[in-house]
Amino acid sequence: MAIEPRKPPSLLLPRLQRALGGRTGWSGFVLQLLFVAALAWICYEIVANARANLQAQRITAGFGFLANTAGFDVSQNLIPYSGSDSYTRVFLVGLLNTLLVSVIGIFFATLIGFIVALSRLSPNWLLSRIAGGYVELIRNLPLLFQILFWYLAVLAALPNPRQSISIFDSFFLSNRGLVIPKPIGTPGFEPFVVALLVAIVAAIALSRYARQQLFQSGKVIKVWPYVLGLVIGLPLISALIFGAPVSFEVPALKGFNFAGGARVIPEFVALVLALSTYTAAFIAEIVRAGILSVHKGQMEAGSSLGLQRGSVLRLVVIPQAMRVILPPLTNQYLNLTKNSSLAVAIGYPDLVSVFAGTTLSQTGQAIEIIGITMGVYLLISLVTSAIMSFYGWRISRSMG
Amino acid sequence: MKRVSLVVTLALAAGLSAQAASAQTLKTVKDRGMLSCGVSQGLPGFSSPDDKGNWTGLDVDICRAIAAAIFNDASKIKFVPLSAKDRFTALQSGEIDVLSRNTTWTLSRDTSLGANFTGVTYYDGQGFMVKKALKVNSALELNSASVCVQQGTTTEQNLADYFKGNNMKYEVIAFGTNDETVKAYESGRCDVFTTDVSGLYADRLKLANPADHVVLPEVISKEPLGPMVRHGDDQWFDIVKWTLYGMITAEELGITQKNVDELAKSDKPEMKRVFGTDGNLGEQLGLTKDWVSRIVKSVGNYGESFERNVGTGSKLGIARGINNLWSKGGIQYAPPIR
């Protein structure tokens, strides 16, 4: 008797039932459908009512304002901007300022966080207690208070521009920020960059080759002198042939402030300091938890292979700890980005300050502007999450 | 600040969707038993709380006068302190019934914000304050200066126009609230603090050594300050508008807090119209016949309020100047009550 191959049961129906909250049959489906319909109706009512009432009160609505002239200036702009540019440009200026402070804040927060975590786990009693004290002090004080502390208590105590602290007469530190010589590209700039890129690519190829050799034949090739020679030598040769790649515009005191040079404004410094030290305290605890989650035997196994403590941490423990560290670390990165909106308290021109602040007040279009701003923060957070997930995926893949 | 504007915006979205554009502000206020009045977060002379939490100032008196006209009780008010950038959203959302917060009347604010200005309570202009030690005598010497300003104000835009128009460079640092702005100026972050001239005098009082700071002579803009109400309620618009005109008319006729009861018995036709002993002008507004005497009894006439809050009788000591009556060399003028 031939046995009929049994058909695999259709997965669609049970899946649908599960999605509908476990109820079987049509009653569940109908309930869910009603719920979704009610939700859609409420959303529609909110939008339609808001629109009708905006019209009734003759409040301007829509996104036409984005093309209008902004008419106000901003203290820090990464792209050229003046008061005669549009609100769209203001939006971009604010967004870039937010991204700048977030990226730099995340970099320093991670760096400080790892250092503090490793210090706290160090066998050195004093070091571990100092690290512990740092974590407990910083994470238990409100962030806004810390921002104001750096801004009003530390940076505002710097001297005024006329009595600024000068280093080699080219770097000036005052309560207007740090003024540094500004590099200006000369004709030798392009060949210099090309030479540097070539040198870096060659150095990477060389290191890979050395690594391959190590794994295949066990030969240890001392690669760093060549790398150093390449990275320094090639650009140097380019500079000798084509001339120096940059010249420096040295700042000088002129009137109330320094003219020329590039400037790091104190609002930016205060914000980066506060955000990175504050977030670092949380990251330190996350990293410590991650490292402690790796079995002690791993450390001992590494040591018995003859590796030093630093190498054990770097090659054995931290890669395994990363799986535990990564999800809460992502949370901290997202927190830092969102916390950067506290900038408005110290006059740093971030997205919330110039767009959801000044632009909103000038145009009065609260719904559109708050909507855009929320959307942007959501997008930044989702992109950050995606990058971190990708990194996590790579780690778990490489560890099999 | 972010949280405030977010909450206000959500309230705006909810408010706009929940209730139809209410054309019944007077009824809402009466039902609530209280006027909700948007004021500043503390600008001496215009709206600031004293150490007991009582609000005083020229802008506050407008609200007190409205409350007096409606309830015959100038204390039935809830004051809502607002930053410059949150004020219009609070008005649009219905959180406040009237915005009386040293707000400059401009065309765009009168149209696109969905609100109307009801009149001018104070004719102001923008000026600059610097430390005396800088030895600056004119705003035209401010090239390359750092300027502290409160964001979301006409001041911020005038500043950009003025420096651009005079081919001067400057650095602007914009703060969310007036207090933060003044603090940054005092800490030395900026060379210059700019706002309306009346505000400069008021804020100078808050500094550690007011005598070390000087207000420069240039006035770079017109800043007519006045109360605002939402579009779509003409009756409420009239009430707020005529409250101010009632105060100005009282000054024109010499009606003061002291002699109001006496003059109310007057037989002069003009007085009878104003006090409602003849005709029903107050009722046409939606108020009572004795609305003017209610106002004057509680806050005095316009001149009295001015002198008490910002004039020579106050700490600010600002001269009446163009804010005097039209008949005394100023430009304050009320249409006739008839």
Side-chain angles (χ1 to χ4, degrees), chain A residues 41-60:
Chain A
W41 178 74
I42 290 172
C43 290
Y44 169 77
E45 277 295 303
I46 288 174
V47 172
N49 254 324
R51 180 171 294 174
N53 287 319
L54 283 171
Q55 264 168 7
Q57 290 189 34
R58 285 184 286 128
I59 297 175
T60 314

Side-chain angles (χ1 to χ4, degrees), chain A residues 49 53 57 59-60 71 73 75 84 151 175-176 254 256-257 263 266-267 341 346-347 353 358 361-362 364 370, chain B residues 9 16-17 19 21 92 112-114 141 143-144 146 151-152 156-157 164 170-172 174-175 188-189 191 231:
Chain A
N49 254 324
N53 287 319
Q57 290 189 34
I59 297 175
T60 314
D73 287 305
S75 61
S84 41
Y151 188 59
N175 59 9
R176 304 290 156 80
K254 204 173 158 192
F256 295 92
N257 278 313
R263 198 157 66 100
E267 289 79 23
S341 62
I346 56 168
S353 173
T358 306
S361 172
Q362 286 188 5
I370 295 291
Chain B
T9 307
L16 284 168
S17 48
Q19 46 173 275
Q92 291 170 340
S112 67
L113 293 179
E141 296 168 21
N143 194 5
S144 84
S146 300
Q151 66 172 205
E156 200 179 358
Q157 294 164 292
K164 197 176 179 192
Y170 75 113
E171 177 200 25
V172 64
F175 295 86
R189 176 63 183 90
D191 304 297
H231 275 168

Side-chain angles (χ1 to χ4, degrees), chain A residues 181-325:
Chain A
K182 185 163 129 190
I184 296 170
T186 55
F189 184 66
E190 279 169 28
F192 182 84
V193 171
V194 172
L196 192 67
L197 284 178
V198 169
I200 289 172
V201 169
I204 290 173
L206 203 62
S207 324
R208 284 210 166 169
Y209 172 73
R211 209 175 149 80
Q212 210 181 355
Q213 285 295 306
L214 176 71
F215 286 153
Q216 278 178 0
S217 58
K219 252 197 290 179
V220 177
I221 304 173
K222 226 183 193 179
V223 82
W224 67 264
Y226 301 103
V227 169
L228 212 64
L230 268 172
V231 172
I232 295 180
L234 265 184
L236 200 67
I237 293 168
S238 139
L240 285 176
I241 299 171
F242 298 100
V246 288
S247 65
F248 286 95
E249 183 188 270
V250 179
L253 190 63
K254 204 173 158 192
F256 295 92
N257 278 313
F258 287 92
R263 198 157 66 100
V264 187
I265 58 174
E267 289 79 23
F268 175 77
V269 178
L271 199 60
V272 167
L273 274 171
L275 285 175
S276 52
T277 50
Y278 178 78
T279 314
F282 292 90
I283 291 180
E285 286 298 274
I286 289 167
V287 171
R288 189 169 73 102
I291 289 175
L292 289 178
S293 77
V294 178
H295 197 274
K296 213 174 143 195
Q298 295 287 325
M299 190 90 176
E300 287 163 357
S303 304
S304 62
L305 282 176
L307 294 172
Q308 289 182 330
R309 185 183 144 83
S311 305
V312 176
L313 275 176
R314 191 165 52 85
L315 298 171
V316 179
V317 178
I318 290 184
Q320 297 183 68
M322 277 320 270
R323 286 207 286 203
V324 177
I325 292 174

Side-chain angles (χ1 to χ4, degrees), chain B residues 252-298:
Chain B
E252 289 173 351
L253 297 176
I255 306 168
T256 65
Q257 230 166 344
K258 267 186 192 153
N259 66 15
V260 56
D261 283 326
E262 206 175 306
L263 287 179
K265 297 171 198 147
S266 166
D267 278 340
K268 283 188 188 167
E270 193 175 18
M271 287 288 188
K272 284 177 93 170
R273 276 197 303 273
V274 169
F275 283 113
T277 43
D278 180 22
N280 61 345
L281 294 171
E283 282 162 357
Q284 286 175 18
L285 272 175
L287 301 169
T288 52
K289 284 182 178 179
D290 62 341
W291 63 288
V292 174
S293 52
R294 283 182 174 192
I295 290 172
V296 178
K297 265 185 216 167
S298 58

Side-chain angles (χ1 to χ4, degrees), chain A residues 73-288:
Chain A
D73 287 305
V74 175
S75 61
Q76 174 185 300
N77 37 285
L78 299 179
I79 49 174
Y81 169 80
S82 80
S84 41
D85 284 319
S86 68
Y87 285 123
T88 312
R89 194 87 179 167
V90 170
F91 169 75
L92 290 176
V93 167
L95 178 61
L96 287 173
N97 284 343
T98 291
L99 289 176
L100 180 74
V101 89
S102 304
V103 169
I104 294 184
I106 283 174
F107 173 76
F108 282 113
T110 313
L111 193 69
I112 301 170
F114 270 82
I115 291 172
V116 171
L118 295 179
S119 308
R120 202 166 175 191
L121 291 171
S122 136
N124 184 326
W125 185 86
L126 185 65
L127 194 62
S128 77
R129 289 309 134 99
I130 290 177
Y134 170 86
V135 168
E136 291 309 330
L137 180 72
I138 298 290
R139 74 170 176 177
N140 287 312
L141 292 174
L143 177 58
L144 182 59
F145 166 78
Q146 294 190 34
I147 293 175
L148 292 175
F149 168 78
W150 286 112
Y151 188 59
L152 291 173
V154 180
L155 295 178
L158 289 169
N160 66 44
R162 292 178 199 192
Q163 284 146 357
S164 56
I165 304 162
S166 112
I167 305 157
F168 305 127
D169 270 335
S170 33
F171 295 83
F172 299 93
L173 187 64
S174 71
N175 59 9
R176 304 290 156 80
L178 178 67
V179 191
I180 55 174
K182 185 163 129 190
I184 296 170
T186 55
F189 184 66
E190 279 169 28
F192 182 84
V193 171
V194 172
L196 192 67
L197 284 178
V198 169
I200 289 172
V201 169
I204 290 173
L206 203 62
S207 324
R208 284 210 166 169
Y209 172 73
R211 209 175 149 80
Q212 210 181 355
Q213 285 295 306
L214 176 71
F215 286 153
Q216 278 178 0
S217 58
K219 252 197 290 179
V220 177
I221 304 173
K222 226 183 193 179
V223 82
W224 67 264
Y226 301 103
V227 169
L228 212 64
L230 268 172
V231 172
I232 295 180
L234 265 184
L236 200 67
I237 293 168
S238 139
L240 285 176
I241 299 171
F242 298 100
V246 288
S247 65
F248 286 95
E249 183 188 270
V250 179
L253 190 63
K254 204 173 158 192
F256 295 92
N257 278 313
F258 287 92
R263 198 157 66 100
V264 187
I265 58 174
E267 289 79 23
F268 175 77
V269 178
L271 199 60
V272 167
L273 274 171
L275 285 175
S276 52
T277 50
Y278 178 78
T279 314
F282 292 90
I283 291 180
E285 286 298 274
I286 289 167
V287 171
R288 189 169 73 102

Side-chain angles (χ1 to χ4, degrees), chain B residues 129-130 132 186 201 203-214:
Chain B
M129 179 159 71
V130 295
K132 268 186 188 158
E186 196 171 20
Y201 283 104
D203 287 323
R204 190 164 66 165
L205 295 176
K206 294 185 194 164
L207 300 174
N209 290 309
D212 291 348
H213 304 268
V214 59

